[in-house]
Amino acid sequence: MMTISHRRVTTTKGMFMVTHSSKKQVVLITGASTGIGNLTARALGEAGHTVYASMRNVKGRNSKHVNELLEYGERNGLDIRVVELDVQSDTSVENAVSAILVETGKLDTVVHNAGHLYVGYVEAFTPENIQHLFDINVIGIQRVNRAVLPHMRERHTGTLLYVGSTTTVVVPPFLGPYVASKFAADALAQVTAYEVGQLGIETTIVMPGAFTQGTDHFPNASRSGDVNRNQAYSILDPLVDRNESATTNLFPSDVDAHPRAVAEEIARILSLPAGSRPFRSVVDFTDSHVEEVNRVLRRAQEEFVTRLGFGELLHIRTALN
């Protein structure tokens, strides 16, 4: 049986439209040991939600993060709980979701945050490397959705909130497999939204820009491991070496570019009545014009889907016949 740890004391206009009122929610966050996921768990706890911060190895390497989150919740009177969940394991995902439903009887929102970063030359990543990354960043999303959607479909309500990336618009160099995985995850989220929207389930994609502080993304990034293929691109090594500093230089000097802004935006979105929530929201301090691109793409998408005769898929159906 899955064990849940907890200590309890006592923007862009949406493509989909629905009307409900905002209320306290039961929220599952994937990849909540550090970074955006961890900050989001704290922000949503402070907003009054029941938060299940999930991560791997809760009794092992992440035990420190578990204790810090639980102590933070206890100290501030927040309902923050921790559940073990590995997005690469069907069994782990299903056990975690089942345990949440047993304990609370419902699950209102999933924040798809778990992800990993690869840095290096595309050719130097083996197919197995890329398969591993996609298993985390893309297939992990599908595993979680398959676990939670039967419950949401039965209730005809719920929210899937995806932590995407502005890299799907700006396409930076030396992050090839990562960018490809974020493209795939974004596409999966969009097409899933057409379908689950007809069953009363809402979708939001939050697109963080680059961050070089407050997360372990760059420090924990995997590097391309094929030494011979890496050597073939050695002329580019100085560019890769300054990738993180080059990213930092994108931020205006007077801006605090911290990922807590993403957590605050997620909390803000979930505080809104469903229907006033954006389909996409960009949190970016690099002034990369991502929202402008999003607007153009959305218009083209809506026109195309309507011309196909599937315009009803652009709206959430709230009353099922």
Side-chain angles (χ1 to χ4, degrees):
M1 179 178 294
M2 172 65 63
T3 300
I4 296 174
S5 305
H6 56 90
R7 298 174 187 170
R8 191 172 182 179
V9 183
T10 88
T11 295
T12 304
K13 182 180 178 183
M15 187 191 318
F16 301 93
M17 303 188 66
V18 63
T19 12
H20 292 297
S21 57
S22 177
K23 57 183 180 180
K24 177 178 178 178
Q25 300 174 45
V26 176
V27 183
L28 168 64
I29 305 169
T30 66
S33 60
T34 61
I36 289 173
N38 190 282
L39 293 166
T40 299
R42 296 169 188 243
L44 292 180
E46 290 165 359
H49 301 297
T50 296
V51 178
Y52 286 86
S54 76
M55 60 192 79
R56 298 179 297 171
N57 301 318
V58 297
K59 294 181 179 179
R61 69 175 188 178
N62 280 323
S63 60
K64 177 183 177 182
H65 301 305
V66 170
N67 290 332
E68 287 174 349
L69 265 181
L70 295 180
E71 289 168 5
Y72 182 83
E74 182 177 11
R75 189 166 62 249
N76 294 283
L78 312 178
D79 192 359
I80 297 178
R81 316 178 187 193
V82 175
V83 60
E84 179 150 348
L85 188 156
D86 179 356
V87 297
Q88 292 184 267
S89 166
D90 290 0
T91 300
S92 176
V93 170
E94 290 163 3
N95 286 346
V97 171
S98 294
I100 293 170
L101 293 177
V102 166
E103 188 165 281
T104 67
K106 68 170 186 172
L107 179 55
D108 299 295
T109 297
V110 173
V111 178
H112 287 290
N113 170 73
H116 188 59
L117 178 66
Y118 275 9
V119 177
Y121 310 118
V122 175
E123 184 185 343
F125 288 104
T126 66
E128 291 76 19
N129 293 153
I130 295 178
Q131 185 176 41
H132 174 75
L133 184 67
F134 270 64
D135 196 38
I136 299 170
N137 292 3
V138 185
I139 300 173
I141 288 172
Q142 181 70 357
R143 289 189 180 100
V144 174
N145 277 349
R146 280 175 55 82
V148 303
L149 282 173
H151 170 70
M152 291 182 175
R153 285 191 283 103
E154 183 179 4
R155 295 176 63 217
H156 306 313
T157 186
T159 300
L160 303 176
L161 191 150
Y162 302 83
V163 179
S165 174
T166 60
T167 61
T168 59
V169 173
V170 297
V171 191
F174 311 126
L175 305 177
Y178 174 79
V179 174
S181 72
K182 299 306 282 189
F183 265 111
D186 193 280
L188 190 67
Q190 290 187 69
V191 179
T192 301
Y194 291 141
E195 300 160 2
V196 300
Q198 299 308 290
L199 305 174
I201 300 162
E202 191 171 16
T203 294
T204 291
I205 303 172
V206 175
M207 301 174 69
F211 291 98
T212 55
Q213 63 165 320
T215 78
D216 291 333
H217 235 28
F218 273 103
N220 289 345
S222 294
R223 303 283 171 159
S224 46
D226 188 322
V227 176
N228 292 331
R229 303 296 175 109
N230 275 327
Q231 185 61 35
Y233 292 89
S234 60
I235 191 174
L236 299 176
D237 285 352
L239 302 183
V240 177
D241 290 343
R242 67 180 181 86
N243 189 29
E244 186 173 353
S245 62
T247 302
T248 300
N249 290 337
L250 294 173
F251 306 128
S253 58
D254 59 342
V255 167
D256 179 19
H258 194 282
R260 73 171 68 89
V262 181
E264 292 168 356
E265 175 63 358
I266 291 172
R268 184 191 71 83
I269 288 170
L270 293 184
S271 75
L272 299 172
S276 62
R277 296 172 186 161
F279 183 69
R280 287 191 186 274
S281 177
V282 177
V283 183
D284 180 33
F285 295 94
T286 67
D287 192 24
S288 298
H289 308 289
V290 170
E291 186 50 49
E292 296 172 24
V293 177
N294 284 345
R295 281 193 292 269
V296 173
L297 288 176
R298 185 171 58 255
R299 284 197 299 270
Q301 181 182 13
E302 291 178 347
E303 180 183 350
F304 180 76
V305 171
T306 301
R307 287 171 56 213
L308 281 174
F310 299 145
E312 68 271 22
L313 299 181
L314 299 171
H315 305 277
I316 290 179
R317 183 180 299 184
T318 56
L320 299 179
N321 297 326

